[in-house]
Amino acid sequence: MSRTVYLAAAGRIRRWTARPTARDAQRSLARQAVSVALMCAAVDGLNFLTRGPDPGPWTPVLLALVIAADVALATAPRFSGWVAVAHAAVGVALAFVMPGRNPSTAGQLISSYRAGAWLRGRSSVASLITVCVGILVSAVVTGLTAPVTLLGVVAANTLLPWLVGRYTTARKEHVEELRRQREATLRDAEAEIAAAVTKERETIAVELHDVISHHVSAIGVHATAARLNLTGTAVPGDSPVHTSLAAVQQSGQAAMTDLRRLLSLLHDGSDSTDQPGVTMLPELFTGLRASGLHVTFVVYSSPPPLTKEVDITVYRVAQEMMTNVLRHGDGRAARVELDCNDGCVALTARNRVASAAADAPYASAPPGSGLGLRGMRKRAEALGGSGTFGVTTDGDYWESSVTIPLAGAR
């Protein structure tokens, strides 16, 4: 499993588990509580004015008590018991001044619900008993004496809202438990993905070390031996043969250095510090000049400190560009340009194409499998960038250009 796949999977897991902050939830609940309280005050106030007692000195006082009890519904949940008691007392008072009329109010129903939803243990039971007694006394005062009728009034106005509140809270706790289990499952899945990636990286590292390092080391040894065997022969020390063998030896050493860096990355992951970057590009081009390729490196605008991913990607892209120059160009010269503007770092390489490609000015690419070009493009796209490759309009040069955002993909 590649690092890109792992990062994508981890990103999806983080998005799945992302939830609003606790402060936002508290503010939302507070706004809803205020809305409920104001609605109850409006409904009960309207009912009092249309169905209440005849105008008298106590009328404004009773109306103020009803509205105050309803406004208290916006208080903190820990006061739910006292709010329920207040509504029970208001209900009894209304029963005395509104004989023969149902004393139940919207606020009294909501207060019973809050007592069941927010309170636990003795506080919840005590609130329920107090509210039941209050509505029972109110019903008796209004003239209801039939046991079945009294039971129905008490159940409908106190017990039922209280039970709904208990059910709502229990259901919320059940949903919360399911959410915690789901998050734990997702965390376990993320850990399994990370473990699988680590194991695969270690396997690849072992294979690279056992196979590639052996062959690269052998190439370097044979190149060194060939140069030593030529010493003292008729072949001069500055001959193309000596130059080519020296280039092979240096390339082998550079390959071993890059291989060690890659093994460090595979073993240590993102914690690896022994990785190449933009500052090592001159060293890369110096090694190529030793092989006979004249590389002109121009920096138009030096980039600021780059993230590790962008820094490594720019170096690897430059390395692949030079590989393409050696394989498909005329092997004489190449020009590399580094620029930083508009929040992006751009790397461009241009070289004269080999004679076979020069004979076909409209060819889409020099001969090859194209894996290197696709690799460069994928590296850039993984960080939110892009890459363009092709023969110039005059048909004489091959140009590769990669642009990557300074911060990389988010």
Side-chain angles (χ1 to χ4, degrees):
M1 182 181 296
S2 67
R3 177 177 176 82
T4 301
V5 174
Y6 165 64
L7 291 176
R12 286 196 295 270
I13 290 174
R14 285 192 292 270
R15 288 194 296 271
W16 291 339
T17 57
R19 305 181 71 242
T21 62
R23 180 173 297 181
D24 292 340
Q26 291 176 353
R27 290 176 178 175
S28 176
L29 289 174
R31 288 193 297 267
Q32 295 177 32
V34 171
S35 299
V36 171
L38 294 179
M39 180 61 69
C40 288
V43 172
D44 290 339
L46 181 62
N47 286 337
F48 184 89
L49 295 176
T50 57
R51 301 171 53 243
D54 297 332
W58 291 103
T59 301
V61 177
L62 290 175
L63 179 59
L65 289 176
V66 171
I67 294 178
D70 287 341
V71 171
L73 293 172
T75 58
R78 64 178 181 273
F79 299 121
S80 297
W82 294 108
V83 174
V85 172
H87 276 277
V90 170
V92 173
L94 290 177
F96 280 102
V97 298
M98 298 171 60
R101 300 181 184 181
N102 184 7
S104 177
T105 63
Q108 190 269 323
L109 295 175
I110 300 300
S111 67
S112 298
Y113 169 84
R114 278 168 48 98
W118 292 106
L119 301 179
R120 289 292 179 269
R122 296 180 179 179
S123 298
S124 180
V125 175
S127 299
L128 174 64
I129 293 175
T130 301
V131 174
C132 287
V133 171
I135 198 70
L136 181 62
V137 171
S138 301
V140 171
V141 171
T142 57
L144 298 177
T145 57
V148 176
T149 303
L150 290 175
L151 180 62
V153 171
V154 172
N157 292 277
T158 58
L159 183 59
L160 183 58
W162 185 85
L163 290 175
V164 172
R166 301 286 290 184
Y167 166 77
T168 302
T169 302
R171 184 178 181 276
K172 177 183 177 182
E173 292 175 351
H174 175 66
V175 172
E176 186 67 17
E177 178 62 26
L178 292 179
R179 183 190 64 80
R180 287 194 292 267
Q181 293 178 2
R182 177 173 174 269
E183 290 183 349
T185 301
L186 292 174
R187 284 194 299 269
D188 292 342
E190 185 174 7
E192 291 178 1
I193 292 174
V197 170
T198 301
K199 183 177 180 180
E200 188 165 352
R201 282 205 314 260
E202 293 176 351
T203 301
I204 295 173
V206 172
E207 292 295 331
L208 286 174
H209 180 272
D210 293 345
V211 179
I212 306 301
S213 64
H214 168 74
H215 294 295
V216 173
S217 298
I219 292 172
V221 170
H222 286 298
T224 303
R227 290 183 62 198
L228 293 176
N229 289 332
L230 288 175
T231 303
T233 65
V235 179
D238 58 351
S239 67
V241 176
H242 278 283
T243 302
S244 297
L245 289 175
V248 171
Q249 183 181 5
Q250 292 176 359
S251 296
Q253 293 172 352
M256 287 301 299
T257 301
D258 277 344
L259 181 58
R260 284 193 294 269
R261 290 170 178 160
L262 180 58
L263 294 177
S264 175
L265 180 63
L266 290 172
H267 279 299
D268 301 331
S270 59
D271 297 330
S272 175
T273 57
D274 185 23
Q275 297 303 313
V278 172
T279 57
M280 299 180 64
L281 288 178
E283 180 182 339
L284 171 65
F285 300 140
T286 299
L288 290 169
R289 294 187 188 103
S291 65
L293 178 67
H294 180 70
V295 180
T296 302
F297 181 42
V298 180
V299 179
Y300 291 111
S301 177
S302 299
L306 303 175
T307 62
K308 182 181 295 185
E309 292 80 3
V310 175
D311 202 23
I312 296 174
T313 298
V314 172
Y315 181 88
R316 293 303 183 193
V317 167
Q319 198 173 37
E320 180 60 29
M321 287 178 175
M322 294 301 97
T323 299
N324 287 340
V325 169
L326 292 173
R327 292 181 59 191
H328 307 302
D330 63 0
R332 297 177 183 176
R335 179 182 177 88
V336 181
E337 300 174 352
L338 180 67
D339 194 10
C340 178
N341 53 53
D342 297 331
C344 294
V345 57
L347 187 69
T348 303
R350 173 181 287 200
N351 63 279
R352 186 176 292 276
V353 298
S355 58
D359 294 337
Y362 300 104
S364 59
S369 64
L371 292 177
L373 301 182
R374 289 197 292 271
M376 285 190 286
R377 182 177 286 110
K378 287 183 178 180
R379 283 181 181 271
E381 291 176 349
L383 296 176
S386 60
T388 57
F389 316 96
V391 178
T392 58
T393 54
D394 57 16
D396 293 333
Y397 292 91
W398 175 267
E399 185 174 275
S400 301
S401 180
V402 169
T403 303
I404 302 174
L406 291 176
R410 293 297 182 185

